Amino acid sequence: MSKQSLAIVALTKESKELLKLHRMDHVHLTANRKLLNRETNIFVFAEAKMLPEVSDFIKQANSAHNLKALFLHEDKENWNWIPQMLDRANLRTLRNLIVHSDFTITSRILKAWVDGAQQELIASARVIDGSLLIRNCALQEIEVPAKDIPALKALTESQLQHFTVSESGSYLHWPKADIHLDFDTFRYYTDPEWKKRTDRLGVTRNKRFGGAVMSLRLDSHLKQSEIPGLSERQLRRIEKEGENATDSALKALAQAHKMTYAQYLAEVAKRLGRKAGEGA
């Protein structure tokens, strides 16, 4: 992932403070038309009442496909006025419009773009009629019925609603069921070409992960029966196929190895890197 240059137009007091706090580069305090000719990743922070004065800038940036997001900062009680303000500004509803009352989502999106990971990280998600609607940080949306995803199949509608988006957007988390799913998982069930590609690569990747877990256990002189909280059957599946390596399972392994969770994951990652180098 390569880092990308962003042009951020901060028109609200709150956004200026946020961007200063995050030490974001290339922040502009006006909708400078010169940006339209030289920038390809433009983000605008505004309030709905400001739209008429910046509508031409927004339309031109959007027509050139350079407007990546329009962030409208509003109190939730004012959200119902946004269609009227868009109309006054002669702006149609934009696919890349984000209305927000705090900066959780906007910070996540900007960080993803800076890191070049906007396609892989999740900006927001919601559940409607048993389906997950997920928007990545490139503001592309996918919809997938929960029943199509094996890990979520057994959850009730109520249980399905109780998830969180990780701070970075790397996964959705259902805490009670200990389920973590990233954007690529949802894409797997909606994009046939992605599914084919993942199926070709996934078996090898999972087996490599399982092999790294096993090699670390053997080097630590631990038997499969010596991992409190994990049955031998569970551990065999993890080590053989890389399956069911949940947070709770990996934490149990970390504890058995007398490591912190972070130390354990770092050691597994180190072994994966070494194996990849050996096979190159």
Side-chain angles (χ1 to χ4, degrees), residues 49-67:
K49 66 184 180 184
M50 300 173 176
L51 291 177
E53 60 189 86
V54 294
S55 62
D56 286 344
F57 177 89
I58 290 169
K59 282 188 278 191
Q60 289 181 51
N62 194 54
S63 295
H65 305 291
N66 294 336
L67 180 69

Side-chain angles (χ1 to χ4, degrees), residues 7-76:
I8 304 169
V9 181
L11 303 178
T12 68
K13 178 184 175 183
E14 294 85 357
S15 64
K16 293 169 190 172
E17 292 173 353
L18 170 81
L19 298 169
K20 184 178 179 181
L21 179 67
H22 286 285
R23 299 179 181 177
M24 298 295 294
D25 297 327
H26 308 296
V27 176
H28 305 268
L29 305 183
T30 60
N32 189 332
R33 292 181 181 276
K34 291 180 181 178
L35 297 176
L36 297 172
N37 298 323
R38 68 170 189 258
E39 299 289 351
T40 56
N41 297 319
I42 298 174
F43 298 79
V44 178
F45 284 85
E47 295 175 3
K49 66 184 180 184
M50 300 173 176
L51 291 177
E53 60 189 86
V54 294
S55 62
D56 286 344
F57 177 89
I58 290 169
K59 282 188 278 191
Q60 289 181 51
N62 194 54
S63 295
H65 305 291
N66 294 336
L67 180 69
K68 302 309 178 188
L70 169 59
F71 299 127
L72 286 188
H73 184 237
E74 294 291 337
D75 295 329
K76 289 188 177 181

Side-chain angles (χ1 to χ4, degrees), residues 10 13 15 26 30 39 88 97 110 126 128 132-133 141 196 250-251 273:
K13 178 184 175 183
S15 64
H26 308 296
T30 60
E39 299 289 351
R88 282 184 63 190
L97 171 67
L110 289 178
R126 64 184 303 185
I128 300 178
L132 281 150
L133 277 66
E141 294 181 353
K196 286 180 187 176
L250 294 173
K251 285 175 181 175

